[in-house]
């Protein structure tokens, strides 16, 4: 039996993802020259960058907890297949291939350009405030283990094999550790930081965002080292990128209440 029905027929006409898909496709068309420059003339890898970016949107919007789970759901989720312009006969992504191809997007900073294209669309539609903004930041935990946070310049000692070679027991009791004297041996750019007093310090990065207040659209994102001043420095950089000579307002929490920032 032949079936002439596809994912397009199964998604309601008023589904909110339809407008998201339209705007995303328009933004991706603007980035087509960038995608062409990322690949050799002999062809592309198995997952086109357009689908990788749209898949990242789906993972965020639907709170899919891992890429492996997303690739599994792609086998039977018609909404996901429709959003990625995949037919029913196409195979799902392999999770390892998905992760490998995403590295290419990071290398060429395509996600930032994708966000910029979406913001440009919003500006053309008059959806972005040019006067009122809010800034905030948070800590993103690094993948590096606290066990890798060792004194700088420490030489590796030849010792007896630990109790567990893959995950040895380490006793930090009584040892003072700081970013000035220690660094991670697996991720030197990660810094020891905590969100507030009384919370556990972890190896982290500082993620900072700038939002316009008319429609709550994020117009800037920056990922920096957790230096303690990254929130304020990133906010200034993103505000300067907004441009213009008019007076603006900025809302922020107590972390920005310093004399130099004000």
């Amino acid at each position: 039996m032949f079936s002439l029905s596809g994912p397009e027929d199964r998604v309601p006409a008023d589904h909110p993802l339809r407008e998201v898909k339209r705007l995303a496709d328009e933004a991706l068309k603007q980035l087509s020259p960038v995608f062409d420059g990322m690949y050799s003339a002999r062809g592309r890898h198995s997952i086109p960058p357009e689908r990788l970016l749209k898949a990242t949107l789906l993972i965020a919007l639907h709170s899919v907890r891992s890429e492996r789970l997303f690739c599994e759901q792609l086998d039977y989720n018609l909404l996901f297949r429709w959003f990625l312009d995949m037919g029913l006969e196409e195979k799902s992504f392999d999770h390892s291939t998905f992760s490998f191809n995403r590295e290419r997007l990071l290398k060429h900073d395509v996600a930032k350009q994708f966000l910029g294209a979406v913001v440009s669309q919003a500006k053309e539609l008059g959806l972005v405030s040019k006067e009122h903004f809010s800034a905030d930041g948070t800590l993103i935990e690094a993948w590096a283990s606290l066990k890798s946070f060792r004194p700088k310049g420490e030489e590796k000692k030849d010792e007896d094999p630990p109790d567990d070679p893959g995950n040895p027991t380490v006793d930090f009791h009584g040892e003072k550790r700081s970013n000035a004297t220690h660094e991670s041996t697996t991720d030197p750019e990660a810094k020891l930081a905590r969100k507030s007093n009384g919370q556990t310090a972890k190896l982290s990065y500082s993620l900072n965002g700038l939002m316009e207040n008319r429609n709550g659209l994020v117009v800037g994102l920056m990922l920096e080292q957790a230096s303690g001043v990254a929130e304020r420095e990133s906010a200034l950089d993103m505000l300067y990128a907004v441009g213009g000579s008019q007076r603006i307002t900025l809302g922020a929490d107590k972390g920005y209440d310093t004399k130099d920032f004000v």
Side-chain angles (χ1 to χ4, degrees):
M1 295 177 62
F2 285 104
S3 175
L4 300 181
S5 178
E8 173 71 30
D9 303 320
R10 310 307 301 172
V11 179
D14 59 348
H15 197 284
L17 272 185
R18 284 193 175 273
E19 185 63 15
V20 174
K21 183 177 186 299
R22 184 184 67 81
L23 294 174
D25 288 340
E26 290 181 5
L28 290 171
K29 286 181 181 178
Q30 300 178 28
L31 297 178
S32 183
V34 178
F35 297 144
D36 292 340
M38 290 168 54
Y39 295 88
S40 68
R42 296 183 179 181
R44 293 184 172 188
H45 280 260
S46 56
I47 305 178
E50 297 89 343
R51 284 184 175 175
L52 279 175
L53 287 168
K54 291 168 71 174
T56 304
L57 272 180
L58 288 174
I59 291 174
L61 293 173
H62 289 267
S63 301
V64 184
R65 67 176 181 269
S66 70
E67 294 168 353
R68 181 188 291 268
L69 180 60
F70 174 79
C71 293
E72 176 186 321
Q73 291 185 1
L74 193 56
D75 258 338
Y76 52 79
N77 193 317
L78 291 180
L79 180 66
F80 286 5
R81 285 186 165 267
W82 163 80
F83 193 81
L84 299 180
D85 298 309
M86 295 178 67
L88 294 176
E89 73 286 351
E90 292 187 64
K91 292 184 178 180
S92 177
F93 305 149
D94 180 82
H95 67 90
S96 59
T97 305
F98 188 99
S99 302
F100 177 80
N101 281 268
R102 190 185 57 180
E103 293 296 324
R104 188 181 294 268
L105 297 183
L106 294 174
K107 180 180 179 180
H108 291 267
D109 207 15
V110 174
K112 182 178 180 180
Q113 297 181 58
F114 184 37
L115 173 63
V118 174
V119 172
S120 297
Q121 290 178 348
K123 289 180 179 179
E124 293 176 0
L125 296 173
L127 300 176
V128 178
S129 170
K130 297 180 180 179
E131 300 175 348
H132 306 294
F133 300 89
S134 295
D136 201 4
T138 188
L139 292 178
I140 302 296
E141 187 175 349
W143 285 350
S145 169
L146 280 174
K147 296 177 182 179
S148 71
F149 198 59
R150 308 300 302 168
K152 294 181 178 179
E154 180 185 55
E155 295 184 1
K156 188 175 181 180
K157 300 178 181 179
D158 295 330
E159 299 176 344
D160 294 333
D163 51 349
D164 183 350
N167 189 24
T169 300
V170 180
D171 184 9
F172 298 124
H173 185 70
E175 180 183 349
K176 292 184 178 180
R177 298 183 297 167
S178 71
N179 292 317
T181 59
H182 291 60
E183 69 178 4
S184 170
T185 56
T186 56
D187 188 357
E189 294 184 333
K191 300 296 182 183
L192 196 64
R194 58 186 176 186
K195 289 187 176 181
S196 61
N197 293 332
Q199 293 193 358
T200 304
K202 300 179 180 179
L203 290 172
S204 308
Y205 287 90
S206 176
L207 176 65
N208 307 280
L210 181 69
M211 182 187 75
E212 60 82 35
N213 290 352
R214 177 177 294 168
N215 290 288
L217 179 69
V218 174
V219 296
L221 278 175
M222 294 186 69
L223 185 67
E224 301 288 346
Q225 288 184 317
S227 61
V229 296
E231 283 187 332
R232 299 187 290 275
E233 292 178 349
S234 297
L236 290 175
D237 289 341
M238 290 185 288
L239 284 170
Y240 291 144
V242 170
S245 58
Q246 74 279 2
R247 294 170 63 90
I248 65 173
T249 64
L250 177 69
D253 59 27
K254 291 192 296 183
Y256 297 82
D257 188 16
T258 61
K259 182 178 180 181
D260 56 339
F261 182 79
V262 173

